[in-house]
Amino acid sequence: MIVGFGVKGFGAVTSFLFTWLVARAFGPAGVGAFGTALTSAQMAVIIALVGLDTILVRTVAVCVAQDRTGTARAALQHAIRVAMASGLAMMVCVLLFHRQIATNVFSSAAMAPDLMVMAMLIPVGAYCRLASTALRGTGRIGESQMVDGPLGTLIGGALLTGAILLGVAHNPLLPSVLYLIGWIATMVVASVLLRRATRAWKSREPLEGSMVRPGVMILVSNANNFFIDWFATVVLAATHGPAEAGLFRVGYQIASSLKLLSSTSETILQPVFAASYQQGDVRRIARVLRLTLLALLLASMPIVAAVLIAPQWIMNLFGKQFGAGAVAMQVMVLGQVFSLIFASSGGVLLMANRERLVAALTFAAVALAAILALLLIPPYGALGAAIASVVPFIFLRFASMVAVRLIGIPII
């Protein structure tokens, strides 16, 4: 956990700096175009994975613990084939229709170039996510977390810094291009790490059952989770333009440092939850949940204090134009603090084979998010988007924790 938080913390810093560079060089409109295209590509990555990232970490963790590495190898190869095929298909579709998507979905033809570049991130991101998942299942937490975001952002940020220092950062498409290059480099590194980690595994053995069928249910929950933020961004960009979306994305970037804490703990602990539940050791799961809650709350306090004391100053770091989004940023940060209380509950349900329950809960959260977004964003802009993204997430976390208690895990 310490290693994972260390790497992800580094990733949060690099992501913050990348957004800061884009904001300083291209303003709110540049952040909005880049952020909207990026979050759309990330949504496509989730769909391309068909839930196989979660199925894979559960399968690898159990198979490695039981010395059935041949089955783990078969699961990894199958997941990569399916995800890459669907990712490439989605990439081609976006490349062919990026102008229509920009005009009809985002109401901004200017976003078409960013969408075209980010389309190529879809298969790359899907592969890196599966590589990270497999590495995590084998216990290589540091390597796993590094290829799941920090490395690609670091490389892209270094390239963007160089372009700014050289005085050639004039094209607003540059952040998307350099970000994509960073992830392509990460894909190469992930392949090397994955080959090294699985070198001693046994030869491929037949899978015991379908991975795609349970993966579809997880896809529903994963897509629903990401849909909440993505839909708020899309509605905001379509109704108020890329500049307002840029204010929201910067506030979201700051709040995501807390979201990163909970999501990192959840992904790192998934193999522990899977193995413990398989062995019937629910008390261990409960103990880990309680310790995680305490650690997350302690780690979040400095960020919360800074946001409450100096929100305007924090937003002005990105440029004076971003000060208007200070209240929206505060709403998102405080919402993430409340959600930390119920952190890792969704991961427990998935590792306990409760895919249908998780899908039902996330669907309810998505319905709430869509209603709030359509009601609040047109009149209130970035603040409405902040409320529409925070409230459903808190509801989902709370409902998941109640469900964990109902399946017999004594969390208190």
Side-chain angles (χ1 to χ4, degrees), residues 38-48 90 222-224 226-227 230:
L38 175 59
T39 193
S40 299
Q42 291 170 335
M43 183 70 180
V45 168
I46 290 174
I47 296 173
M90 295 180 70
N222 288 348
N224 285 345
F226 198 83
F227 176 89
W230 174 78

Side-chain angles (χ1 to χ4, degrees), residues 278-338:
Q278 186 79 9
Q279 297 164 2
D281 191 357
V282 295
R283 291 190 177 277
R284 185 190 185 202
I285 296 176
R287 184 170 63 254
V288 170
L289 284 175
R290 288 192 290 267
L291 291 173
T292 301
L293 167 61
L294 178 61
L296 292 179
L297 289 178
L298 289 175
S300 67
M301 287 303 102
I303 299 174
V304 175
V307 166
L308 291 177
I309 295 171
Q312 201 78 25
W313 180 82
I314 293 174
M315 291 296 288
N316 284 341
L317 289 175
F318 294 84
K320 292 184 178 180
Q321 302 157 293
F322 291 89
V327 176
M329 182 266 291
Q330 284 183 309
V331 169
M332 286 186 277
V333 169
L334 293 178
Q336 289 300 327
V337 173
F338 282 110

Side-chain angles (χ1 to χ4, degrees), residues 216-288:
V216 170
M217 297 307 300
I218 294 174
L219 166 62
V220 173
S221 61
N222 288 348
N224 285 345
N225 274 324
F226 198 83
F227 176 89
I228 294 173
D229 299 324
W230 174 78
F231 188 69
T233 303
V234 170
V235 174
L236 185 59
T239 57
H240 293 270
E244 189 76 7
L247 297 181
F248 172 72
R249 293 308 301 179
V250 166
Y252 178 83
Q253 178 71 53
I254 297 170
S256 66
S257 59
L258 296 182
K259 189 174 183 179
L260 185 67
L261 292 175
S262 60
S263 63
T264 300
S265 66
E266 190 168 345
T267 54
I268 291 173
L269 292 173
Q270 281 180 347
V272 177
F273 293 150
S276 299
Y277 194 81
Q278 186 79 9
Q279 297 164 2
D281 191 357
V282 295
R283 291 190 177 277
R284 185 190 185 202
I285 296 176
R287 184 170 63 254
V288 170

Side-chain angles (χ1 to χ4, degrees), residues 12-355:
V13 172
T14 59
S15 182
F16 182 91
L17 290 176
F18 192 93
T19 302
W20 179 79
L21 290 170
V22 177
R24 300 297 294 189
F26 301 102
V31 175
F34 168 75
T36 304
L38 175 59
T39 193
S40 299
Q42 291 170 335
M43 183 70 180
V45 168
I46 290 174
I47 296 173
L49 288 169
V50 202
L52 291 175
D53 50 337
T54 302
I55 297 296
L56 185 61
V57 71
R58 192 168 71 191
T59 303
V60 170
V62 173
C63 288
V64 169
Q66 298 175 351
D67 195 29
R68 296 189 293 121
T69 54
T71 303
R73 184 184 295 278
L76 174 60
Q77 293 175 352
H78 178 65
I80 289 176
R81 282 198 302 270
V82 173
M84 289 299 289
S86 56
L88 287 170
M90 295 180 70
M91 180 191 76
V92 171
C93 289
V94 176
L95 289 176
L96 291 175
F97 302 106
H98 64 281
R99 295 187 183 278
Q100 292 88 335
I101 295 172
T103 302
N104 299 326
V105 177
F106 301 105
S107 301
S108 175
M111 288 189 57
D114 286 282
L115 289 174
M116 180 181 66
V117 173
M118 284 301 175
M120 291 178 276
L121 182 66
I122 299 173
V124 175
Y127 179 87
C128 290
R129 178 67 62 84
L130 289 176
S132 170
T133 295
L135 290 168
R136 189 166 72 246
T138 63
R140 297 171 180 259
I141 302 301
E143 295 176 1
S144 166
Q145 297 304 295
M146 182 58 75
V147 301
D148 193 20
L151 184 57
T153 307
L154 174 64
I155 296 172
L159 293 174
L160 183 56
T161 300
I164 292 174
L165 292 176
L166 293 173
V168 295
H170 305 302
N171 191 330
L173 190 60
L174 188 63
S176 294
V177 172
L178 297 182
Y179 191 86
L180 175 63
I181 292 173
W183 272 86
I184 292 174
T186 300
M187 185 179 185
V188 175
V189 174
S191 299
V192 174
L193 294 176
L194 191 60
R195 182 179 296 274
R196 184 187 304 168
T198 60
R199 186 178 301 158
W201 284 8
K202 299 175 184 177
S203 300
R204 176 188 174 96
E205 298 175 2
L207 291 172
E208 298 175 352
S210 172
M211 294 178 64
V212 175
R213 189 178 299 112
V216 170
M217 297 307 300
I218 294 174
L219 166 62
V220 173
S221 61
N222 288 348
N224 285 345
N225 274 324
F226 198 83
F227 176 89
I228 294 173
D229 299 324
W230 174 78
F231 188 69
T233 303
V234 170
V235 174
L236 185 59
T239 57
H240 293 270
E244 189 76 7
L247 297 181
F248 172 72
R249 293 308 301 179
V250 166
Y252 178 83
Q253 178 71 53
I254 297 170
S256 66
S257 59
L258 296 182
K259 189 174 183 179
L260 185 67
L261 292 175
S262 60
S263 63
T264 300
S265 66
E266 190 168 345
T267 54
I268 291 173
L269 292 173
Q270 281 180 347
V272 177
F273 293 150
S276 299
Y277 194 81
Q278 186 79 9
Q279 297 164 2
D281 191 357
V282 295
R283 291 190 177 277
R284 185 190 185 202
I285 296 176
R287 184 170 63 254
V288 170
L289 284 175
R290 288 192 290 267
L291 291 173
T292 301
L293 167 61
L294 178 61
L296 292 179
L297 289 178
L298 289 175
S300 67
M301 287 303 102
I303 299 174
V304 175
V307 166
L308 291 177
I309 295 171
Q312 201 78 25
W313 180 82
I314 293 174
M315 291 296 288
N316 284 341
L317 289 175
F318 294 84
K320 292 184 178 180
Q321 302 157 293
F322 291 89
V327 176
M329 182 266 291
Q330 284 183 309
V331 169
M332 286 186 277
V333 169
L334 293 178
Q336 289 300 327
V337 173
F338 282 110
S339 72
L340 287 179
I341 300 174
F342 316 112
S344 302
S345 52
V348 173
L349 293 176
L350 289 176
M351 295 302 103
N353 302 305
R354 298 302 200 280
E355 294 92 356

